[in-house]
Amino acid sequence: MNKLGNLAIAQGDLPDAMRHFTDSLSIRENLVVNDPDNVRYQRALSVSLEKLGDLAETMGDLPAAMRYFAECHTIRETLAIRTPANTEWQSDLSISLEKLGDLAMAEGDLSSALRYLTDSLTIRERLVANHPGNAKWQRNLYIAHLKLGDLAVARGDPSAALRGFTGSIATAEYLVSSDPGNAAWQRDLWVSYWKVANVFENNGNPDEASNWWLKAHEALTGMKARNLFVSAQDEEFLEELRLKLGR
């Protein structure tokens, strides 16, 4: 059912996707009712709830999305507490916290967003500390730092914003050093530079902003020099950087 739902999303038929995901949810709920101690069924149920939450958010139904994500989170929190050594379930929990944080931010509840996103970051820091070679978890850590930086900007806290964005830079630099040819990770790095520059520019420090604009420009032009993929939108960012730097 989930595969049919994914296909419907790819085809732009969101109501049909909702029908397939709801059918999948019903099947998995029944499995859990009949075998409540089966952790595999519990985890599969959380995936169905996550997919419905994502779809509801895409369709603009934020209250429904929050209900699905909250139920998903409850299951994942229980699984993570039951088996704390299961790193995949810890990662699942960090994702459900991130989704709750994103939705809280979209609804203007910045205090709840901060709590959810900080909890997600804490889990991801622990996972990466124990498994530094896991690139997926490193990337998730990058996202956690970046989102906390964005949230701090929305909260009017430039110091916290800089902490978030410099945290994302440290993680992106690690990823880039491990795979210099990965265009997505190179992009992550210059986007973080850009965000740091924005914080300085918007808080009356144009000289420091220029230093970070220059870092972003060098990273982006370096991608082009190495024939790494640069999108048309990123070409527009590059032109804006040239203007900011007077080039």
Side-chain angles (χ1 to χ4, degrees), residues 21 62 131 155 214 224:
F21 289 152
L62 299 189
H131 303 275
R155 294 173 62 238
L214 182 59
K224 288 173 65 68

Side-chain angles (χ1 to χ4, degrees), residues 39-187:
V39 293
R40 184 168 61 89
Y41 291 164
Q42 291 278 358
R43 201 267 174 179
L45 177 58
S46 80
V47 171
S48 288
L49 288 163
E50 181 180 71
K51 285 183 176 292
L52 281 164
D54 287 338
L55 184 56
E57 185 175 9
T58 299
M59 297 174 74
D61 189 348
L62 299 189
M66 183 62 83
R67 288 195 301 273
Y68 287 128
F69 288 148
E71 191 172 348
C72 169
H73 174 67
T74 298
I75 294 170
R76 290 181 174 178
E77 188 173 43
T78 300
L79 290 173
I81 292 172
R82 181 184 298 178
T83 315
N86 188 314
T87 54
E88 287 298 333
W89 290 350
Q90 295 291 331
S91 179
D92 284 348
L93 179 59
S94 80
I95 291 169
S96 67
L97 284 163
E98 179 187 334
K99 289 181 181 292
L100 287 168
D102 288 346
L103 207 55
M105 189 171 176
E107 293 182 326
D109 185 354
L110 302 189
S111 296
S112 293
L114 178 61
R115 175 167 52 86
Y116 289 132
L117 293 177
T118 300
D119 288 348
S120 179
L121 173 68
T122 300
I123 294 171
R124 291 174 180 183
E125 286 178 328
R126 185 169 62 245
L127 287 170
V128 164
N130 293 325
H131 303 275
N134 189 312
K136 181 180 75 171
W137 290 347
Q138 287 279 0
R139 180 68 180 10
N140 285 346
L141 178 60
Y142 164 85
I143 292 170
H145 281 300
L146 199 76
K147 288 190 174 185
L148 278 167
D150 287 337
L151 176 60
V153 170
R155 294 173 62 238
D157 187 343
S159 296
L162 289 175
R163 286 197 300 273
F165 296 143
T166 54
S168 71
I169 287 169
T171 308
E173 286 177 338
Y174 176 89
L175 287 168
V176 165
S177 68
S178 69
D179 185 3
N182 189 310
W185 295 346
Q186 293 280 354
R187 185 181 193 278

